Amino acid sequence: MPINAGNPNTIQSPINVSGLLDVVKKIKVIFDIEHTWIGDLTISLLNHSRSRVLLANR
């Protein structure tokens, strides 16, 4: 996905999960990103209530 050059320069890629019978306690996240300068990337997960878990901030 290309990143829009405008502000806020973000990409959102929703992953909808349904049908779970219990609370998710552990997940494994793998991402493969090609970017010219990794120093300006922040990668995080947001839940349905917008709570954020930071995965990478370089």
Side-chain angles (χ1 to χ4, degrees), residues 2-57:
I3 297 174
N4 183 351
N7 200 352
N9 300 339
T10 61
I11 292 178
Q12 293 186 5
S13 182
I15 301 170
N16 296 314
V17 179
S18 63
L20 298 176
L21 301 177
D22 202 354
V23 174
V24 175
K25 296 177 184 173
K26 184 177 178 180
I27 64 169
K28 182 176 185 178
V29 178
I30 300 171
F31 49 90
D32 182 12
I33 299 173
E34 292 183 27
H35 190 57
T36 55
W37 188 52
I38 193 125
D40 62 355
L41 291 178
T42 301
I43 302 164
S44 56
L45 293 176
L46 280 76
N47 70 8
H48 65 281
S49 64
R50 308 297 291 169
S51 295
R52 182 178 308 265
V53 175
L54 186 62
L55 300 179
N57 187 6

